[in-house]
């Protein structure tokens, strides 16, 4: 009888931990999606406070031209007339959580200019977030401009069962 009670107790604790882990993962996914939406709007509104909150001090990004950016440079250039995002629409976001690290990949359509030239179009991007001191912050980003007739992000995976992008 004690063995049965012990087994039932372990089962209920395990079930509770699994449910809490799933809830925590779902919550983290929702937080990261909201952060991406906030980040997108901060770019349009040139909201330095929002960007300062979202980007970690050691954040670095690689833009669609291959240039490396830092948080300090992004905040410094935020109010420049040469770089502006008029509108942006995030699409196809996929969130993956690995402990205290979150990866968010997606696409976006934006109307923008970069260094004084039109940079409007479709982009594919990945952002890496880390949970530090109880809050998520972006630590790394990469963006690539898609060709005008580029396929959808997640439709490009091989259907043969192997993971990878078609070339």
């Amino acid at each position: 009888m004690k063995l049965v009670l012990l087994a039932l107790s372990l089962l209920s604790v395990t079930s509770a931990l699994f449910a809490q882990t799933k809830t925590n993962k779902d919550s983290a996914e929702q937080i990261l999606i909201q952060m991406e939406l906030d980040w997108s709007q901060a770019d349009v509104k040139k909201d330095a406070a929002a960007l300062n909150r979202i980007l970690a001090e050691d954040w670095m990004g690689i833009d669609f031209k291959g240039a490396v950016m830092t948080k300090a440079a992004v905040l410094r250039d935020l109010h420049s007339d040469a770089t502006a995002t008029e509108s942006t629409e995030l699409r196809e976001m996929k969130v993956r959580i690995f402990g205290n690290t979150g990866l968010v990949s997606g696409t976006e359509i934006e109307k923008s200019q970069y260094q004084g030239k039109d940079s409007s179009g479709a982009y594919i991007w990945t952002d890496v977030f880390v949970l530090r001191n109880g809050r998520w912050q972006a630590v790394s980003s990469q963006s690539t401009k898609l060709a005008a007739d580029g396929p959808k992000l997640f439709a490009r995976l091989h259907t043969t069962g192997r993971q990878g992008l078609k070339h």
Side-chain angles (χ1 to χ4, degrees):
M1 183 62 147
K2 287 183 184 180
L3 188 56
V4 171
L5 289 175
L6 178 62
L8 288 174
S9 295
L10 287 174
L11 181 61
S12 69
V13 168
T14 303
S15 296
L17 287 175
F18 177 75
Q20 182 178 8
T21 300
K22 180 161 176 32
T23 300
N24 289 345
K25 182 180 174 190
D26 291 345
S27 175
E29 289 176 3
Q30 291 170 358
I31 289 168
L32 294 180
I33 287 172
Q34 186 60 54
M35 288 181 74
E36 290 290 357
L37 295 169
D38 293 347
W39 190 346
S40 180
Q41 285 305 301
D43 284 342
V44 171
K45 295 176 181 177
K46 296 190 175 210
D47 184 347
L51 291 173
N52 194 44
R53 183 183 73 251
I54 294 166
L55 303 178
E57 289 304 316
D58 59 344
W59 174 86
M60 66 161 277
I62 302 171
D63 71 14
F64 72 101
K65 291 192 169 211
V68 176
M69 305 173 295
T70 64
K71 176 180 180 175
V74 166
L75 292 174
R76 181 188 67 237
D77 297 341
L78 186 62
H79 294 289
S80 163
D81 290 335
T83 301
T85 303
E86 184 179 317
S87 65
T88 182
E89 179 185 341
L90 298 180
R91 298 178 173 181
E92 299 184 82
M93 282 192 280
K94 179 174 175 65
V95 179
R96 294 177 292 158
I97 304 295
F98 303 98
N100 288 340
T101 303
L103 300 175
V104 185
S105 298
T107 60
E108 73 178 300
I109 306 296
E110 71 177 40
K111 184 169 175 60
S112 58
Q113 64 174 313
Y114 182 75
Q115 298 176 344
K117 296 180 182 175
D118 184 35
S119 58
S120 301
Y123 291 82
I124 185 172
W125 49 266
T126 298
D127 293 322
V128 180
F129 292 84
V130 174
L131 184 61
R132 292 179 175 163
N133 300 319
R135 74 178 203 168
W136 289 97
Q137 286 193 300
V139 295
S140 183
S141 302
Q142 188 276 328
S143 179
T144 301
K145 192 169 186 178
L146 292 171
D149 60 347
K152 290 187 174 193
L153 168 63
F154 300 115
R156 294 189 295 177
L157 294 176
H158 284 286
T159 57
T160 62
R162 291 184 288 160
Q163 296 294 314
L165 296 177
K166 294 181 181 178
H167 297 277

